[in-house]
Amino acid sequence: MESSDVHLISWNVAGLKPTLDQLRRFGFANFFRRHRVDILCLQEVKLNSKALATAGRQYEVDGYDSFWACNDGCGNQRQGLNGVCTFVRRGLTLSADNSPLGCPDLDGEGRCLLTDHGSFVLFNAYVPNAAGGPRLPFKLRWLRALKHAMWRERSKGKAVILAGDLNMKHRVLDTHWSCVSVRPEHFKIEESDALPDISKIAALWPDLVSAFKGKTISQIETRNSRNGQTFQKWGVWAKPLTDADAPVRLGPPIEHQGMAEFSFWMDGLHVEEDGQIVTRPTSTSYVLREKGEISIGELLEGMKKLAGVDISTAARDWLVQRSTPSSAEAVRLWLEDVLAGGMVDSFAEFYPKAQGRFTCWDQYRNRRHENEGSRIDYILVDETFFKRHASPGAGLDSRGLDADSPTAALAAATYDGLSQPSPFIGGGVPPLEEDEYIAQFRADKEGPSTGIIYTPQQLSDHVAVSLLLRKVALPSATLSRNAATQRCQPHLSSKRITDFFSRKDTPPLKRQAVAV
């Protein structure tokens, strides 16, 4: 069995067709070559099997096999949503399975694909979003099935790699400081003698809670000052702690009424098995937010707007050190249990102190250009396999700065300012120019790496993550044509355009005489 280096990339493309339309301007195969791709895991491709069977050849890349898991309307969401695809350099795959979870309603959403590469197996996963809470029970059931499937493969003697958009954060560093949560009721004034602002928060907290509980929401109209376009949104209002009678608005306008109702919420949130949101815990509910828990962003907004206190950066950092990530507790515990059970978060292992290294941003509000995002895309590796083969390679894209600094993270995310935000007048993200497209490529100059590949904003609201493996034993057998593998390749039933030109014409039948 031969051994070779393997460069694995995982990327949520938020719709393969529009992403591919952009990539084809510069050559889809060129993207593979310049990133030195051996395996490319894509999530949220948004293609169903029928579309692939009809015109799937357009997604082929010379020298690579592709495998697909699609949502064909068999799961709990409409067909065409979700979808994952794995491209693998030809000769590296033994078999594939797009139903690895063993349950029709879990596999039916097209969120998980298993490929076997001899010494290791790869799960390409697009983990369900909790959708604000109602889908949390489904998400946890899905995650439990994934965990079981990974152990099943280990029992066969395989090392396991899990790559994809996991839709969760397990470290405070994986989220912008404004989104992590604290419980100020637990602060002790005497603990913060060196930080008067923390003492002010502790002293004012009971009054802030009362003000938050008395908030009101109402619909507001926002207007683009340059083109006059109007939007209907929601505002949150609360009375200041002073004697002022007029309520003040807290935070920016909010898209949906439900999101406005549960912002600055103090009473705790839970979800039942049927997806119903409740404010009081029951024996069967899951925690979405603890009572008295608030994001640091909301806390600082309340202190400024309602109490007239601007919190210092030092006090904010003190709060961050005592915060928890914004993912639901049960989801965080799942990931912590997976890591404690012998897997390694490849990014966190190589770059444990890196700040601001996010993989997803709110494109609508240009958050990538302020680097206010989250790291929700991962490549997890069984620890023994990781220690034997994983390498940082070229390391993080730092643009000549301290790689662990938030300054370097912002410079990498924006290509040192080359990438520009969407204009306020509308029109969406600026067109992808050649210099911005080329800025993503480091592998063809510095070599591949484990870390983050800052793909252009025009291609997706996510960037790619990567893993470099050294001297991996590769399979010598050919790709299986078993039924499971064939189900993963619906595109092979579609015709290439050359098939229509190479077809041999059948001579016309001779006209038969008809008796009259």
Side-chain angles (χ1 to χ4, degrees):
M1 186 176 287
E2 296 182 5
S3 65
S4 179
D5 293 351
V6 173
H7 190 211
L8 189 159
I9 297 175
S10 177
W11 186 22
N12 180 323
V13 292
L16 181 56
K17 190 178 185 303
T19 299
L20 195 55
D21 288 343
Q22 293 271 17
L23 288 175
R24 282 205 178 105
R25 293 171 50 206
F26 307 95
F28 193 28
N30 179 62
F31 179 89
F32 280 70
R33 179 182 61 80
R34 297 198 66 174
H35 279 308
R36 299 191 187 181
V37 173
D38 293 301
I39 302 176
L40 176 63
C41 297
L42 301 178
Q43 299 88 43
E44 214 174 347
V45 296
K46 297 182 180 179
L47 292 168
N48 59 33
S49 297
K50 183 178 180 180
L52 290 169
T54 303
R57 294 285 187 176
Q58 65 179 303
Y59 302 108
E60 289 187 327
V61 179
D62 286 345
Y64 291 83
D65 293 311
S66 65
F67 308 94
W68 305 76
C70 302
N71 179 353
D72 293 325
C74 300
N76 297 315
Q77 295 183 315
R78 64 179 173 83
Q79 68 172 334
L81 291 179
N82 315 321
V84 296
C85 171
T86 304
F87 287 88
V88 187
R89 191 179 297 280
R90 194 153 294 144
L92 301 186
T93 309
L94 295 176
S95 62
D97 185 359
N98 57 17
S99 300
L101 304 183
C103 181
D105 69 322
L106 301 180
D107 287 311
E109 289 196 358
R111 294 181 175 274
C112 194
L113 179 65
L114 170 65
T115 48
D116 187 340
H117 307 285
S119 58
F120 70 95
V121 295
L122 171 62
F123 287 86
N124 177 1
Y126 176 41
V127 174
N129 190 306
R135 294 207 89 203
L136 179 60
F138 177 83
K139 178 174 185 172
L140 293 171
R141 190 160 65 91
W142 196 97
L143 288 171
R144 288 191 290 268
L146 173 61
K147 183 180 177 183
H148 176 78
M150 292 193 294
W151 277 112
R152 180 193 67 220
E153 295 303 315
R154 291 189 188 102
S155 70
K156 301 175 184 177
K158 302 282 188 176
V160 172
I161 297 176
L162 170 60
D165 178 353
L166 301 192
N167 263 317
M168 64 183 75
K169 291 87 69 176
H170 78 106
R171 305 183 309 160
V172 169
L173 282 172
D174 296 331
T175 311
H176 187 260
W177 63 262
S178 63
C179 296
V180 294
S181 300
V182 290
R183 298 181 71 183
E185 66 187 42
H186 293 162
F187 296 167
K188 296 179 181 178
I189 296 177
E190 61 272 16
E191 286 182 345
S192 53
D193 291 339
L195 292 171
D197 285 351
I198 302 302
S199 299
K200 293 176 183 177
I201 292 173
L204 293 170
W205 182 242
D207 293 330
L208 277 177
V209 171
S210 296
F212 290 150
K213 287 187 175 183
K215 76 178 191 296
T216 59
I217 66 168
S218 60
Q219 198 164 29
I220 59 176
E221 183 177 272
T222 63
R223 181 182 299 272
N224 186 312
S225 60
R226 300 202 180 186
N227 63 13
Q229 188 175 5
T230 60
F231 306 90
Q232 297 300 314
K233 298 187 179 182
W234 293 84
V236 178
W237 309 81
K239 293 192 67 174
L241 305 187
T242 62
D243 294 331
D245 292 328
V248 296
R249 199 181 81 200
L250 298 176
I254 298 172
E255 295 291 323
H256 305 291
Q257 181 179 0
M259 294 173 62
E261 288 175 346
F262 289 123
S263 62
F264 300 92
W265 183 266
M266 291 287 101
D267 290 330
L269 286 174
H270 308 262
V271 59
E272 296 284 6
E273 278 287 350
D274 62 0
Q276 181 182 0
I277 303 296
V278 295
T279 57
R280 294 177 180 272
T282 69
S283 59
T284 59
S285 64
Y286 299 102
V287 178
L288 290 174
R289 183 188 295 184
E290 295 282 2
K291 184 176 181 179
E293 182 180 320
I294 190 171
S295 72
I296 292 179
E298 289 184 337
L299 174 60
L300 268 57
E301 176 78 351
M303 288 294 293
K304 181 176 182 177
K305 294 284 186 67
L306 303 181
V309 177
D310 283 307
I311 301 300
S312 67
T313 301
R316 186 196 73 195
D317 292 343
W318 188 93
L319 292 168
V320 170
Q321 292 171 10
R322 289 155 180 80
S323 66
T324 56
S326 55
S327 291
E329 180 185 39
V331 174
R332 294 200 310 271
L333 290 175
W334 180 89
L335 183 51
E336 290 171 7
D337 186 57
V338 166
L339 296 173
M343 295 197 86
V344 170
D345 176 350
S346 57
F347 180 89
E349 188 71 13
F350 281 134
Y351 316 110
K353 298 180 180 179
Q355 301 178 63
R357 294 293 180 164
F358 306 133
T359 63
C360 182
W361 300 264
D362 183 347
Q363 294 268 65
Y364 183 76
R365 296 194 290 167
N366 281 323
R367 290 306 189 219
R368 179 166 172 171
H369 295 272
E370 300 171 20
N371 202 27
E372 296 182 9
S374 298
R375 184 174 76 96
I376 59 176
D377 301 271
Y378 295 78
I379 301 179
L380 308 183
V381 188
D382 278 354
E383 185 174 16
T384 300
F385 193 80
F386 180 88
K387 289 181 176 179
R388 185 178 301 148
H389 299 291
S391 168
L396 288 178
D397 184 348
S398 61
R399 308 280 157 165
L401 303 167
D402 175 6
D404 286 342
S405 70
T407 306
L410 176 60
T414 61
Y415 306 145
D416 271 329
L418 177 65
S419 177
Q420 292 296 306
S422 302
F424 287 112
I425 59 174
V429 178
L432 178 60
E433 303 294 345
E434 186 174 7
D435 55 353
E436 190 174 356
Y437 174 77
I438 292 172
Q440 69 180 295
F441 298 110
R442 294 175 63 225
D444 58 354
K445 299 176 182 177
E446 304 173 32
S449 64
T450 295
I452 297 174
I453 297 174
Y454 289 92
T455 43
Q457 62 178 340
Q458 293 86 349
L459 303 182
S460 175
D461 57 346
H462 290 244
V463 292
V465 294
S466 59
L467 172 68
L468 176 59
L469 299 171
R470 302 286 194 190
K471 298 181 179 179
V472 179
L474 300 177
S476 54
T478 57
L479 176 65
S480 170
R481 297 308 302 160
N482 62 26
T485 301
Q486 290 186 57
R487 283 194 296 270
C488 298
Q489 297 187 300
H491 62 291
L492 295 185
S493 62
S494 67
K495 292 183 178 295
R496 296 183 176 90
I497 191 169
T498 53
D499 293 340
F500 294 96
F501 296 102
S502 60
R503 183 182 60 192
K504 292 182 178 179
D505 291 329
T506 303
L509 295 173
K510 292 182 179 180
R511 186 181 300 274
Q512 301 293 319
V514 179
V516 292

